[in-house]
Amino acid sequence: MVNPDKIPVELKSLKQWVLWKSVDRAGKPTKVPFQINGSTASSTNPEMWSKFTDVIEFQSGYSGIGFVFSESDNFIGIDLDGCRNSLTGEISQWAKDVCKMLGSYAEVSPSLTGIKIFATSNFRWSHRKKVELPFEKVSEKQPAIEVYDCGRYFAVTGRPVRGFYDVMPIDDYLDALADKFSMREIVPQVDGSGIVLETPIMERACKYVAKMEAAISGSGGHAKCFAVACALVMGFGLTDDEALDLMSREYNQRCSPPWSEKELRHKVRSASKQPGARNYLRDANPTDWNRIRLPSVYKEHTQQEEKRDSIGEPVRIQETNLRDASLAYLSQLLSGKENLLPTGLPNLDHAVGGGIALGEMVIVAARPSHGKSAVALQMVHHLSHRGYPVVIVSEEMSAVALGKRSLQFLSDLPESRWKYDSEQVAREINEHFDDRAQIVVLENCCFVDVVCQKIEDAVNRDNCKIAVVDYAQLLQAKGKTRYEQVSYVSTRLRQLASKLNIVLIVLAQLSRAIEGRNRFMPMMSDIKETGQFEQDADVIIFGTWPWKVDSENEKTKYIFFVAKNRNRAINDPMVECCFDPERQMMRDRFWSPVSQQHAEFNEFK
C-alpha cells in the first residue's frame, strides 16, 4: 500500500509517474510499468508518463506506482537489494552505511527486502551494471547495488527509512560509492587535440568544478573564476591545456557573462605561476572536499591601471544581447545548475519557488517565542549537512543555549534522560556533526558594522556560504532615532549579502499589531521599527504558532506565510506544517509525533 503523504514533494511535482504490476515472465516475477489507460508504459518515452495525482487515482487493480528517472531532470536512484529482513525490519549494516553516506530520502521497497534511495546529481551515471555483494543474506535475495539516473523507474512505497526524509544532492559522494562497491566502468575518450577526457582525475576535477560558484559580473566574478583555475592547476595538477579545456566545457557555460578564451587562458597561466602546495585535491576522497580549503594566498596578476568598482572588484565591461542572456538562464535552469538551496522543509521550498539562493537576504519574522530561532537553526543543520559552512551571529541566545536547542533537535532521547544516558547523547552529537560542515557561533558583536566585518572574515577564512543573524532589532547602529538605526541595520545587511554572495538569513521581531486582528496573519508592515526591511529583503517569511495565541489550537500546528519573493514566484502564500517543541523541529504538515512512532519509522536501527 502506497503512503502518498510521505513521498517527497520534489518527486510528486513531476509528470514522471507510472503504474506497475508484478507479471510472471519465464517463471520470474517482473515489475511491468503501465500507463493510466491500461497500456504498458516505457521508461524512455515521456508521453507514456502521468502526473502523481493521476497514478494515485488510477492505482486500484495495480501492484503500485513508480517514478521514472529521466534525462531531463537531475534525480538519481540507488537500489539496495537484499538488505532488509522482511519479518524483523532489521537493515544490514552495509546498507545503513550507504544511507548514512548519502543522507538522502530512502524508503522500503515493495518486497520489504530492499531499500531505494532517491537523490539528485548534476552528473550522468555511466556505471550501469548491477553489482552483487558478498554480504550475508538476510532475505531470499542476494545483497546487491545498482544506480540509475535515466531510462529506469523505481517502484515507490512512501515508507521512509527513519531519519532519511529529504531528497539531497550526492555529487560529492558518487565517486566514493563507485569505489566502495567496485562499480566503475571507465572508458577513456580522446578528442582531436589529444586531450584525454573523463580519465579518473579529470572526472574528479570536473565534479569538483561543478560545486564551485559560477562567476557572475559584479559579484566577485574575477576571484571566483581564478579560484577554479587554481583548483584545477594546483589542486588537481592538470596541465594548462587540460585545465583550459575543462573550464571551457564545464564551467564557462555557468558564468554570466561567459569568459572569452583569452580571458580563461590568462586565468590558467596565472594559476600556473602561483607558489605553494600542489596536488592537494588530486588524491583526496570527494567526501573530504568540503574540509579542504583552497589556499588564501592566491592573487591574480592583474594590471595596476585596471578600474575597480565600489567594493574593490575589477570592472569588466561586457556587452551582451538580452536574448542570449535569457537563453543562457534557461540553459542553467534545464541543467539543474540554478543553485537554489533547500531550507529543509520541502513544502516551504516549493512555496518560495524551489528554495533560496546565494546573494539573497531572507527575513524570517515572528512574534517572540513563535519559533523563529528554531526555524533558523533547523535550516542551519540542513544546509550544513549539504556541505555549506555556516556562521551564526546570536545576540539573543548564548552559544550554550543554541547547543541545547541543537541537542533537542538531533537526539532521539528525551531531555529528562540526557544526564543518565550521557554516552549515547555524546555519540549522537558526534555522529550528527561529523556529517556536517563547520557551524560557527559569534556572540556579543552588538554593532551591525562589527557583525558585517565578522561575517566577512568567516567567509574569507572558512568559505562560509550561509550566515544567520538572530535577531536584527537587537543590533546597534548609527542614527539619531530608532527608525534611522534599524534602517541602517537593514541597509548594511542587504549590502553584505550582495557583496559576499551568501545566503543571509535575518531573524526579526513582529509588532503587537498582529495580535489585535481577527485572523492571526502578519503583514510586511508588522516588522518592528522600520519599513526598510520590506524594501531590502529578497524573501520575507512569517512564522506563526497559533497555539501560543490560543491554547485551543492544536499544539503541533505551525503556519508559514510567504509575504515576498523578489526573484521567484510565490507558489503557496501559506504553508502549514507541524512543530514539535520538545524536539525544536519542524516537519511538513503530514507528520505528527504520534505518526513518527509508527513501526514504519523504526526500521533504521
Side-chain angles (χ1 to χ4, degrees):
M1 189 67 175
V2 177
N3 188 346
D5 296 343
K6 306 300 182 185
I7 299 171
V9 66
E10 300 99 315
L11 301 177
K12 293 192 289 187
S13 65
L14 297 177
K15 188 182 177 182
Q16 292 175 208
W17 292 87
V18 294
L19 299 161
W20 66 270
K21 286 182 181 179
S22 183
V23 177
D24 193 328
R25 287 184 174 174
K28 181 180 179 181
T30 304
K31 296 184 181 72
V32 178
F34 284 84
Q35 304 176 57
I36 59 175
N37 63 10
S39 302
T40 56
S42 167
S43 56
T44 60
N45 186 351
E47 294 182 0
M48 298 181 177
W49 308 339
S50 301
K51 296 179 180 178
F52 177 78
T53 52
D54 290 338
V55 293
I56 290 296
E57 180 181 353
F58 289 95
Q59 65 177 318
S60 178
Y62 292 89
S63 302
I65 64 174
F67 176 81
V68 185
F69 296 95
S70 166
E71 290 184 348
S72 64
D73 64 55
N74 63 345
F75 287 101
I76 188 169
I78 300 90
D79 190 2
L80 310 181
D81 220 354
C83 64
R84 183 180 183 274
N85 187 307
S86 61
L87 298 178
T88 66
E90 179 67 17
I91 298 174
S92 300
Q93 187 60 49
W94 70 269
K96 290 182 182 181
D97 292 341
V98 174
C99 289
K100 288 180 179 179
M101 178 174 69
L102 302 182
S104 194
Y105 174 76
E107 64 171 37
V108 179
S109 65
S111 67
L112 307 182
T113 62
I115 299 295
K116 285 181 167 56
I117 301 173
F118 296 77
T120 61
S121 170
N122 289 320
F123 305 107
R124 287 302 170 203
W125 181 266
S126 58
H127 322 303
R128 297 189 176 275
K129 64 178 180 179
K130 181 176 182 177
V131 178
E132 293 193 348
L133 305 174
F135 300 121
E136 180 182 358
K137 293 178 67 172
V138 295
S139 69
E140 70 277 7
K141 294 187 177 182
Q142 176 67 33
I145 182 172
E146 56 184 327
V147 181
Y148 288 93
D149 61 1
C150 63
R152 180 74 177 265
Y153 83 94
F154 275 5
V156 178
T157 62
R159 295 190 57 184
V161 176
R162 185 184 180 193
F164 301 97
Y165 310 117
D166 299 325
V167 175
M168 304 288 286
I170 60 170
D171 286 344
D172 293 347
Y173 305 102
L174 286 176
D175 278 332
L177 186 71
D179 291 340
K180 184 179 180 68
F181 297 108
S182 302
M183 305 177 74
R184 291 189 179 278
E185 293 178 340
I186 299 173
V187 180
Q189 300 175 5
V190 180
D191 69 4
S193 67
I195 295 174
V196 178
L197 308 178
E198 308 307 337
T199 64
I201 294 301
M202 289 288 281
E203 270 191 3
R204 293 179 181 229
C206 180
K207 293 179 180 181
Y208 188 88
V209 166
K211 66 188 280 294
M212 298 186 76
E213 290 184 56
I216 307 299
S217 180
S219 299
H222 276 270
K224 291 170 185 173
C225 185
F226 186 57
V228 172
C230 289
L232 295 175
V233 174
M234 299 185 69
F236 285 96
L238 301 186
T239 66
D240 286 6
D241 285 341
E242 288 173 333
L244 179 63
D245 178 71
L246 196 152
M247 290 184 73
S248 299
R249 290 187 296 114
E250 303 296 339
Y251 180 72
N252 201 32
Q253 61 183 339
R254 293 194 282 130
C255 299
S256 179
W259 302 88
S260 69
E261 182 179 350
K262 180 179 178 181
E263 289 172 316
L264 289 178
R265 188 174 294 279
H266 172 74
K267 302 289 183 187
V268 170
R269 287 176 176 172
S270 294
S272 295
K273 298 176 182 178
Q274 293 296 308
R278 303 273 167 167
N279 299 330
Y280 47 85
L281 292 169
R282 188 179 184 91
D283 298 318
N285 192 309
T287 58
D288 296 326
W289 280 349
N290 289 324
R291 301 185 181 94
I292 300 174
R293 293 212 311 262
L294 295 179
S296 59
V297 297
Y298 292 161
K299 292 182 180 179
E300 184 180 5
H301 300 291
T302 55
Q303 297 179 356
Q304 294 298 318
E305 64 271 21
E306 200 171 33
K307 293 184 178 180
R308 296 180 177 271
D309 61 21
S310 60
I311 60 173
E313 286 294 329
V315 176
R316 181 166 65 103
I317 299 174
Q318 178 89 22
E319 182 177 320
T320 304
N321 184 286
L322 187 57
R323 175 189 293 183
D324 294 339
S326 300
L327 291 172
Y329 172 77
L330 179 61
S331 177
Q332 287 186 9
L333 186 65
L334 294 176
S335 65
K337 296 178 179 177
E338 194 186 5
N339 293 328
L340 292 180
L341 309 183
T343 63
L345 290 166
N347 285 347
L348 181 59
D349 291 334
H350 174 72
V352 295
I356 51 183
L358 295 173
E360 289 189 337
M361 176 173 164
V362 180
I363 290 182
V364 178
R367 288 292 293 146
S369 301
H370 272 252
K372 59 182 179 293
S373 295
V375 172
L377 200 56
Q378 183 162 337
M379 290 181 183
V380 164
H381 287 297
H382 186 74
L383 290 166
S384 66
H385 185 58
R386 297 192 55 166
Y388 296 101
V390 182
V391 56
I392 303 174
V393 177
S394 182
E395 295 298 302
E396 184 175 37
M397 288 191 290
S398 68
V400 174
L402 287 174
K404 178 185 177 182
R405 290 283 188 95
S406 295
L407 189 50
Q408 290 173 296
F409 178 85
L410 67 90
S411 178
D412 290 329
L413 287 175
E415 186 175 347
S416 60
R417 297 297 310 168
W418 292 352
K419 184 186 298 184
Y420 306 102
D421 296 293
S422 59
E423 290 186 3
Q424 179 178 337
V425 174
R427 185 168 60 252
E428 289 177 321
I429 292 172
N430 289 326
E431 289 178 353
H432 179 82
F433 286 103
D434 281 348
D435 289 338
R436 283 164 170 77
Q438 181 173 248
I439 305 171
V440 176
V441 180
L442 303 177
E443 301 177 77
N444 303 318
C445 293
C446 300
F447 295 90
V448 68
D449 288 333
V450 175
V451 167
C452 291
Q453 184 58 57
K454 292 299 182 182
I455 291 177
E456 186 165 358
D457 290 345
V459 170
N460 293 331
R461 181 186 67 245
D462 302 320
N463 198 30
C464 284
K465 299 298 182 186
I466 315 295
V468 177
V469 175
D470 186 10
Y471 60 92
Q473 287 96 340
L474 288 178
L475 298 180
Q476 301 176 43
K478 301 174 183 178
K480 296 180 180 179
T481 66
R482 185 59 182 157
Y483 177 87
E484 290 178 352
Q485 293 168 0
V486 180
S487 295
Y488 180 82
V489 168
S490 177
T491 301
R492 286 288 284 121
L493 294 177
R494 166 69 272 168
Q495 293 171 341
L496 185 73
S498 298
K499 175 184 177 181
L500 301 180
N501 194 38
I502 60 173
V503 174
L504 182 59
I505 301 171
V506 179
L507 307 190
Q509 291 274 36
L510 295 179
S511 69
R512 294 182 181 274
I514 181 178
E515 298 177 0
R517 300 185 189 124
N518 292 331
R519 187 182 180 193
F520 195 70
M521 182 175 178
M523 299 183 295
M524 286 197 286
S525 59
D526 292 329
I527 302 177
K528 289 181 66 176
E529 299 176 309
T530 181
Q532 191 67 35
F533 287 117
E534 302 176 38
Q535 175 179 325
D536 291 336
D538 295 290
V539 180
I540 296 180
I541 300 169
F542 296 124
T544 61
W545 190 8
W547 178 78
K548 292 290 291 186
V549 180
D550 184 354
S551 59
E552 294 295 319
N553 286 298
E554 184 181 352
K555 189 174 183 178
T556 60
K557 182 178 180 180
Y558 196 92
I559 302 174
F560 290 107
F561 295 93
V562 182
K564 182 180 180 181
N565 197 22
R566 190 198 308 272
N567 301 316
R568 293 169 299 282
I570 298 176
N571 292 330
D572 287 317
M574 185 180 80
V575 177
E576 183 178 323
C577 69
C578 291
F579 179 41
D580 182 0
E582 283 71 30
R583 294 293 301 272
Q584 289 292 297
M585 183 181 293
M586 301 280 176
R587 293 187 184 272
D588 282 337
R589 63 181 178 274
F590 299 113
W591 175 89
S592 72
V594 174
S595 67
Q596 188 191 33
Q597 297 170 13
H598 194 273
E600 67 180 353
F601 286 94
N602 291 320
E603 290 157 338
F604 196 82
K605 300 176 181 178

